[in-house]
Amino acid sequence: MDLPMESSRTNLLSPNCFYFLFVLLYRNSAAAAFTAPQAVKQSTALNADAGRREFFGTAAAAAIGAFGVAAPASAVVDYEALAYLGGSNVVDLNNANVRVYLKMPGMYPTVAGKIVSNGPYASVADVYNIKGLTAAEKEVLKKYESRFAAFKPSPDYVIDRINNGLYR
């Protein structure tokens, strides 16, 4: 059987082209007659998650394939006082979350709530100027004063000082 080599309009309508298409369709339909029928996959609530996982996995692979590499994360990792947000014994009064004070008995929730609600502080001594502090609360502050630091407030952390969305 000869395949048409030219792609002009007259050759596409030639009898050879029709014969070639007929043989191709006939051969494929004959082969399909001997294969087992495919079961129709029904979507239910039980397998809907698997479909989503498959879809997003394919979409992620396509995005990586289209762009070559994954996009870098744009997280702030060069914050010089990162250790003072709860990862060390010293706590930054201006940027640390209220839950950091859980490590200091007597601070959480009352004194810690007043600290995060009344900042920013230019120095550690400014924390004693909070209106409404009782004598007992000032004693608790005095107990932990050596563990406090007052760094410049960073917008990336100040926004989450009172509620960072972590719940038990």
Side-chain angles (χ1 to χ4, degrees), residues 9-135:
R9 187 173 184 90
T10 57
N11 284 341
L12 288 176
L13 299 176
S14 70
N16 285 343
C17 186
F18 283 120
Y19 176 74
F20 175 74
L21 289 175
F22 175 75
V23 170
L24 185 67
L25 291 173
Y26 178 75
R27 184 175 31 167
N28 286 344
S29 64
F34 294 104
T35 60
Q38 297 292 328
V40 177
K41 185 176 180 181
Q42 295 179 343
S43 177
T44 64
L46 297 176
N47 65 6
D49 288 336
R52 274 188 241 131
R53 266 187 253 119
E54 181 180 318
F55 170 76
F56 285 117
T58 305
I64 290 172
F67 296 111
V69 294
S74 58
V76 176
V77 293
D78 293 333
Y79 178 61
E80 65 275 357
L82 189 63
Y84 304 109
L85 297 179
S88 70
N89 285 336
V90 180
V91 174
D92 180 8
L93 293 172
N94 289 323
N95 295 303
N97 186 275
V98 69
R99 294 179 62 90
V100 172
Y101 298 98
L102 281 168
K103 298 176 184 178
M104 302 175 198
M107 290 286 293
Y108 186 84
T110 309
V111 179
K114 290 180 181 181
I115 290 173
V116 299
S117 299
N118 290 291
Y121 306 100
S123 68
V124 175
D126 288 350
V127 79
Y128 293 103
N129 299 331
I130 297 173
K131 290 183 182 181
L133 273 180
T134 65

